[in-house]
Amino acid sequence: MLPEWVTEKCPEVSAVHREAAIARQAQLTKPTGALGRLEQLAIELAGLQATGQPRAACVPIIVFAGDHGIVAQEVSAYPQAVTIAMMANFASGGAAISVLARELGSSLEVVDAGTLAQEAMPGIVTDKPRNGTRDFSVEAALTPTELAAAFEAGQRAVARAEAGRPDLLIFGEMGIGNTTTSAAIAASLLGISAEEITGSGTGMDAAGRAHKARVIDAAIARHGIAGASAEKILCVVGGLEIAAICGAIIAAAQRRIPVLIDGFIVSVAALAAVRLNPSCQPFLLPSHQSAEQGHRLVLRALNVQPLISLDLRLGEGSGAAIALPLVRLACSLHNDMATFAQANVPDRPS
């Protein structure tokens, strides 16, 4: 069983602050709607943060890493050793998300939520119930106890970040095989075939992608999890880093901290989070639509529209990080533009 806090209700969007933001947008020195979705983004943030001054200045990035037993079925173009090597790359500052975090002035925490690393690594927070998941083509990936522990790891990561009073949070992931796991979770949650949602991941060719889809479909049929509860699906085919992100999303929303959602894998975790706790839905701000085949289907299921589409498929939280400047600009425009009255500019006739 998942911890009781997972289903505790998240705060309501502040209707008072949202309406005030709508009224302010109508008074700014621009034609109504001229800044498009940036206006709506600022309005949404004002309601989520319950403030007249929406903010995106302090945005920590947390990357969760995990390994996947399903890699034994040859579903990745890269060897499993890459997961641990990339954790070291994150810690030393050489990964894409490390560069982006520096440029954005964001802190970066990397959590080993379930890799095969046998010892703690310098610069990495180790918080995992086991080293890697089981091969879900043969047996359930996680026990209920292990799944619950991964959720708790996500909650603890948010609690650490909360000490810095963040305006938003970005969650990223690293784990060879995790696009296979994510596709299996999404196909099960949405009740669709793996063929519809399985992408090339780390660069599989057409034959490799078809093989990956067959492995997923066979596992879903074997375990009978199509349309099952999110908790059961996460146990049977889930990843430890994906479960940790799912828990982190819910924990952030419960603390009134919006989450800038990254690509396919984080979006799948978000979909599972919404199925487990629908009240976290308003706190999900989609950053981009990735090049991974199934991402648009997951975004559609979440009923959200991404800010950008740049054919990204790196993961790590990189798409959300790249979209963050747009969020910051939306806040600055909302907070700092003059009103018609302040600028002595004639308004539209009433």
Side-chain angles (χ1 to χ4, degrees), residues 70 135-142 180-194 215-239 275:
I70 194 65
D135 180 352
F136 67 70
S137 71
V138 177
E139 59 185 319
L142 298 167
T180 302
T181 296
S182 297
I185 295 169
S188 301
L189 287 172
L190 298 176
I192 61 177
S193 70
V215 168
I216 293 168
D217 276 334
I220 291 172
R222 176 191 180 104
H223 297 293
I225 54 171
S229 71
E231 182 176 356
K232 181 174 181 180
I233 290 167
L234 287 171
C235 273
V236 173
V237 297
R275 294 289 179 89

Side-chain angles (χ1 to χ4, degrees), residues 161-173:
E162 186 183 20
R165 302 183 67 182
D167 301 317
L168 304 170
L169 285 171
I170 290 173
F171 302 129
E173 43 62 40

Side-chain angles (χ1 to χ4, degrees), residues 17 51 56 59 62 97 117 125 143 150 166-167 198 222 225 227 231 256 262 264 273 295 311 337 350:
H17 290 96
T51 180
V59 185
I62 306 171
I97 194 60
V125 175
T143 67
D167 301 317
T198 302
R222 176 191 180 104
I225 54 171
E231 182 176 356
R256 199 181 276 283
D262 191 43
F264 177 59
H295 194 201
D311 293 334
M337 277 184 71
S350 55

Side-chain angles (χ1 to χ4, degrees), residues 62-68 80 83-88 90-91 108-133 146 149-154 156-157 160 172-175 239-245:
I62 306 171
V63 176
F64 297 88
D67 275 311
H68 298 259
Q80 198 157 38
T83 303
I84 296 174
M86 280 301 299
M87 279 204 300
F90 294 142
L108 174 63
E109 178 178 277
V110 181
V111 179
D112 180 352
T115 75
L116 294 176
Q118 297 299 307
E119 298 178 354
M121 297 173 61
I124 306 295
V125 175
T126 301
D127 192 353
K128 59 185 177 182
R130 61 175 285 117
N131 294 327
T133 59
E146 290 161 352
F151 270 71
E152 297 280 16
R156 283 190 286 270
R160 290 191 296 272
E173 43 62 40
M174 176 63 214
L240 287 161
E241 82 279 33
I242 296 167
I245 293 169

Side-chain angles (χ1 to χ4, degrees), residues 41 49 58 77 113 125 139 165 207 249-250 255 282 339 343 347-348:
L41 181 56
Q49 295 174 337
C58 180
V125 175
E139 59 185 319
R165 302 183 67 182
I249 287 169
I250 293 171
R255 291 160 170 77
T339 64
D347 197 353
R348 298 169 296 277

